[in-house]
Amino acid sequence: MKKIKYILFGIMCFIALVIITTSVLANQSIKEIHINNVDLSKIEDGTYLGEYSNSPVKARVEVNVVNHKITEINLLEHVYALGEKGEVVLQEIIAKQTLEVDMKTGATVSSMTIVKAIENALEGEK
């Protein structure tokens, strides 16, 4: 019985270490992302692909623009730990027609990574 307790304790310590490490990396990652708003009046009609990777989070997007408006954003890939709720920024960007949207609390790194991928798509960068 004691052996099982030690094994469970070891597993719990390992999980705690992974969570703490991921949190520290995420906080460092936030400081590295600089998002610029894109002037949609200069973006021609078309479909734009963009991506951004900020370990451990990655996003790849397809952005459709018609009449200088973002009409659709498809999230082609989103690698995240706990950041799925950050995907809400997609609808906010379309509704507000700007990259200057609030990041989702609890999924800040994912939100910022997705927005940066959209910026890169519209500016033709990687």
Side-chain angles (χ1 to χ4, degrees):
M1 190 67 164
K2 283 186 177 183
K3 189 175 184 179
I4 292 174
K5 286 182 182 179
Y6 286 125
I7 292 171
L8 289 175
F9 180 73
I11 291 170
M12 289 173 44
C13 288
F14 176 75
I15 291 171
L17 181 62
V18 168
I19 291 170
I20 291 169
T21 302
T22 302
S23 177
V24 168
L25 289 173
N27 286 333
Q28 286 178 325
S29 297
I30 291 171
K31 295 174 185 173
E32 297 173 5
I33 303 174
H34 301 285
I35 299 170
N36 301 303
N37 200 19
V38 175
D39 184 355
L40 291 174
S41 69
K42 296 180 180 178
I43 306 295
E44 298 297 323
D45 289 0
T47 301
Y48 299 86
L49 298 174
E51 62 183 62
Y52 187 74
S53 180
N54 190 11
S55 186
V57 181
K58 178 181 180 182
R60 197 164 50 91
V61 297
E62 177 184 77
V63 183
N64 294 315
V65 175
V66 177
N67 294 324
H68 306 288
K69 291 187 178 189
I70 298 171
T71 58
E72 184 178 21
I73 303 170
N74 295 308
L75 190 56
L76 304 175
E77 179 182 12
H78 184 204
V79 177
Y80 56 88
L82 302 172
E84 183 176 15
K85 60 185 177 179
E87 295 173 5
V88 70
V89 297
L90 300 170
Q91 291 82 24
E92 292 180 27
I93 290 170
I94 293 170
K96 295 179 179 179
Q97 292 297 303
T98 181
L99 300 182
E100 295 176 352
V101 295
D102 292 332
M103 301 302 146
K104 181 69 176 165
T105 302
T108 306
V109 175
S110 281
S111 299
M112 293 180 82
T113 300
I114 292 168
V115 175
K116 187 66 178 179
I118 294 166
E119 176 191 344
N120 288 347
L122 296 173
E123 292 186 345
E125 298 177 17
K126 286 193 176 183

